[in-house]
Amino acid sequence: ISISVFPPSSACIGRYILNMQITSCGHTYQRCLGDFYVLFNPWCADDPVYMDNQAHREEYVLNEHGILYEGVHKHITSRPWHYGQFEDGILDICLKILDMGASYHHGSDRDHCWRNDPVHVSMVVNHMISSHTTSSIMKIPENNDYLKGTKPFSWNGSIPILQQWYNGRCRPVRYGYCGSLASVMCTVMRCLGIPSRVVTNFCFPCSIENPLGINEIFDCTGKILCGKDKLWRYHCWNESWMARRDLNQCCGDWQCLDPTPLETGRGLACSGPTWVRSIKEGELDLDYDGHHMFSRVNSNYVGWLSQNNAKKTKFFCDAWPCGQHLITKCVGSEQFEDITGAYKYELGSVKNKEAYYRAYRRIHPGYCNASNCHIERELSSLKNPFLSDSGINMRLKMANCPMYGEDVQLHWLLENLRNENKNLKFNLCAQIITYSGCPMDQFWKDSVNVMLGPREVKKIPLCISYSQYGPYLCDHNIMKVVAVSDPECGEVLMVSRDIVINRPPVIVKV
């Protein structure tokens, strides 16, 4: 007897057992013929995860190897990651994740009815990756203290993490960071048949009080002070491809899922799925956590100088809004693809402003009926004044691409835009920071008097030796160099540069 089974596209995913019942001479016999698995099918046009591009299916479903992008937006680094979604035992682990997280949205998993909907499946997986439950897959170290576990940056694949969680009676693996969380989620989603990829967003705000503004506070030496807000140098999340039947979508599109628990108005929470298109258009009431995702790519930066821990002054700087650069691995290549245009219109364009005003009214109920001009005036009052308004242009330019063990060489470029002399005193400093924006040791300080004639341009070389930064550099390999003018000279001017120290290359020859 030849038996063929054709599960409908609405079938719940999971492991099925195929039984045969034989009735003969008044007796009934049961025989188990075996078991099989039903998954989402991106090759099937009726499936909500259908993807019609074969090259995209090979990349986002079948490819077991990926690239994680890190660093800062002016210096992007990369490292490989092994997803391993087809390794032995991984599918059973992924289904165990669904079993453990079944009560997240549904209270009971008796009928498994939600398992045919990729939206609900993705929400459960998102919740299980790093929630604060006792059965979540990974934990993030508190206060950068990971002495009781594995260093977050030492992982290079999802398989050891998932196996350790499964074999350790579903207790959280210590420790991970946003890149490993998003990559583990990508493994689980691809294993279940949902096309997925990891996205890196540079200049990522994490603000509790003002969703569309991020505050950084400095002292008179240029040192970053600990505050409630954090400006992450980069942040990784997941995108998964599915049709949102709850939004009446008939075709698939990318949905944002962030498994890293971040501080929100309702406490620590993971975000998504959020339709990427709704973020771009500012249609935040369409979706789960839309206002959180919009603020993460559209917040404005506000810098403050703290004097005597009491008075705070906005300084003159040239600050860009957050979400400057969003990238993911190219299809069929190890290069990155810039997908910023999928999340936001070109900065300063009419459509960009319209989307921002639309989102602003939804995030701030007090501005629900405010005019665009009213919102624009409010935003202008919150932003830092530009350096050019003070008659000065400044920037820090790298003179070399420093490797670990080498000195850091910079050029400090200053330009007087006025027809008058400028006599300024600057304090300079360098400080280690984590990828999540936590300030650490300040290891270098200096002060310089700068005299600029009318319309004069000056280039000042700066050098930070390895002996100065070497003992302080941590796993994140990021330092911040700041030049801030003395408040006693009048207007406070500031320029800064995030610098990544490259790891030495390893070349293997067989």
Side-chain angles (χ1 to χ4, degrees):
I1 300 175
S2 178
I3 299 174
S4 297
V5 180
F6 296 94
S9 59
S10 59
C12 294
I13 65 167
R15 176 174 170 263
Y16 287 76
I17 297 173
L18 183 62
N19 287 318
M20 181 173 63
Q21 180 176 297
I22 302 171
T23 302
S24 177
C25 301
H27 296 282
T28 300
Y29 304 92
Q30 294 280 353
R31 179 68 58 86
C32 179
L33 299 181
D35 57 5
F36 61 92
Y37 295 84
V38 173
L39 304 175
F40 293 109
N41 187 358
W43 280 263
C44 173
D46 294 330
D47 201 290
V49 302
Y50 173 64
M51 182 175 264
D52 63 356
N53 188 309
Q54 175 61 18
H56 288 192
R57 289 193 295 253
E58 290 177 359
E59 178 66 49
Y60 301 131
V61 183
L62 302 180
N63 192 359
E64 294 190 79
H65 301 279
I67 302 289
L68 292 187
Y69 296 101
E70 302 170 345
V72 297
H73 72 283
K74 290 186 178 179
H75 186 162
I76 297 172
T77 60
S78 63
R79 61 192 188 96
W81 189 272
H82 180 227
Y83 296 122
Q85 64 268 29
F86 300 120
E87 296 286 332
D88 287 344
I90 295 303
L91 178 54
D92 288 321
I93 296 176
C94 294
L95 294 177
K96 179 69 172 179
I97 292 171
L98 297 186
D99 292 338
M100 299 295 292
S103 61
Y104 173 51
H105 276 293
H106 308 277
S108 172
D109 193 32
R110 286 177 307 205
D111 54 4
H112 296 72
C113 63
W114 56 273
R115 297 196 185 206
N116 65 355
D117 186 350
V119 174
H120 289 298
V121 168
S122 64
M123 292 173 81
V124 169
V125 174
N126 202 26
H127 167 77
M128 280 296 297
I129 295 294
S130 186
S131 63
H132 286 281
T133 62
T134 55
S135 58
S136 62
I137 296 172
M138 288 197 94
K139 285 183 73 72
I140 296 176
E142 296 180 6
N143 303 319
N144 298 303
D145 178 15
Y146 41 78
L147 295 178
K148 295 180 181 179
T150 304
K151 290 184 177 182
F153 289 87
S154 65
W155 302 104
N156 61 7
S158 305
I159 306 306
I161 297 171
L162 290 170
Q163 289 175 339
Q164 184 175 328
W165 174 79
Y166 187 73
N167 296 329
R169 297 182 180 180
C170 303
R171 288 191 294 267
V173 176
R174 303 168 185 259
Y175 287 104
Y177 78 111
C178 64
S180 53
L181 301 182
S183 299
V184 169
M185 181 166 188
C186 188
T187 295
V188 176
M189 298 295 273
R190 288 186 183 184
C191 185
L192 298 176
I194 303 174
S196 295
R197 63 187 184 184
V198 177
V199 172
T200 302
N201 172 20
F202 294 93
C203 293
F204 174 85
C206 191
S207 175
I208 300 173
E209 296 178 350
N210 182 8
L212 289 173
I214 181 79
N215 295 287
E216 253 188 343
I217 304 171
F218 298 78
D219 67 10
C220 293
T221 69
K223 179 181 178 181
I224 303 178
L225 303 177
C226 287
K228 293 181 180 179
D229 295 353
K230 295 287 187 299
L231 181 61
W232 292 32
R233 270 49 202 174
Y234 66 90
H235 180 59
C236 301
W237 62 62
N238 195 270
E239 277 186 1
S240 294
W241 182 272
M242 64 190 75
R244 296 289 300 277
R245 303 287 165 81
D246 55 323
L247 300 180
N248 297 319
Q249 291 179 8
C250 57
C251 299
D253 205 347
W254 289 113
Q255 314 292 330
C256 232
L257 290 146
D258 190 350
T260 305
L262 297 170
E263 189 67 44
T264 66
R266 62 177 191 236
L268 287 171
C270 307
S271 298
T274 308
W275 185 23
V276 172
R277 182 74 184 180
S278 70
I279 300 171
K280 183 174 183 176
E281 299 295 341
E283 298 286 357
L284 309 187
D285 51 358
L286 284 179
D287 227 332
Y288 304 101
D289 306 313
H291 59 293
H292 295 312
M293 297 307 302
F294 183 88
S295 65
R296 292 169 189 177
V297 296
N298 287 285
S299 288
N300 289 295
Y301 174 88
V302 186
W304 301 86
L305 184 73
S306 176
Q307 303 176 53
N308 302 321
N309 294 324
K311 182 182 177 184
K312 290 180 183 177
T313 307
K314 282 184 190 174
F315 45 65
F316 288 77
C317 68
D318 288 332
W320 289 81
C322 300
Q324 297 181 28
H325 206 29
L326 289 100
I327 61 174
T328 189
K329 180 183 177 297
C330 271
V331 174
S333 165
E334 293 191 357
Q335 302 300 314
F336 65 76
E337 176 188 358
D338 190 332
I339 58 169
T340 311
Y343 281 83
K344 54 202 296 188
Y345 289 104
E346 185 179 352
L347 191 64
S349 67
V350 174
K351 287 190 174 182
N352 175 258
K353 290 182 178 180
E354 287 176 351
Y356 194 92
Y357 297 147
R358 198 177 296 123
Y360 198 90
R361 292 186 180 97
R362 287 165 171 77
I363 292 174
H364 298 287
Y367 291 87
C368 185
N369 297 314
S371 65
N372 292 348
C373 295
H374 187 185
I375 296 174
E376 189 61 44
R377 283 196 301 270
E378 180 68 18
L379 293 174
S380 299
S381 67
L382 296 175
K383 294 178 182 178
N384 284 79
F386 288 101
L387 272 171
S388 54
D389 297 338
S390 67
I392 294 285
N393 264 343
M394 292 191 297
R395 64 190 178 106
L396 291 168
K397 185 178 180 181
M398 297 301 299
N400 69 336
C401 191
M403 196 78 67
Y404 189 83
E406 298 178 351
D407 296 346
V408 177
Q409 308 282 348
L410 298 102
H411 289 146
W412 182 19
L413 306 176
L414 300 98
E415 180 184 6
N416 185 1
L417 303 176
R418 304 275 171 81
N419 293 317
E420 58 189 34
N421 293 321
K422 293 276 188 179
N423 189 3
L424 299 167
K425 180 183 178 182
F426 284 92
N427 296 320
L428 296 96
C429 85
Q431 182 178 8
I432 301 297
I433 55 173
T434 68
Y435 82 98
S436 57
C438 293
M440 300 183 76
D441 299 303
Q442 184 186 41
F443 60 86
W444 175 74
K445 287 194 293 186
D446 200 358
S447 60
V448 178
N449 288 311
V450 180
M451 294 188 65
L452 292 171
R455 302 286 176 178
E456 183 182 1
V457 177
K458 189 170 283 189
K459 181 166 72 173
I460 300 174
L462 301 175
C463 178
I464 303 171
S465 67
Y466 169 70
S467 61
Q468 291 174 310
Y469 75 79
Y472 301 94
L473 199 64
C474 58
D475 294 341
H476 310 274
N477 284 12
I478 302 175
M479 69 171 72
K480 189 177 189 69
V481 178
V482 176
V484 60
S485 64
D486 195 315
E488 295 179 359
C489 297
E491 299 165 333
V492 182
L493 317 175
M494 196 200 80
V495 64
S496 65
R497 176 85 185 224
D498 291 340
I499 299 170
V500 177
I501 307 298
N502 289 310
R503 299 181 182 92
V506 177
I507 301 172
V508 179
K509 291 185 179 180
V510 179

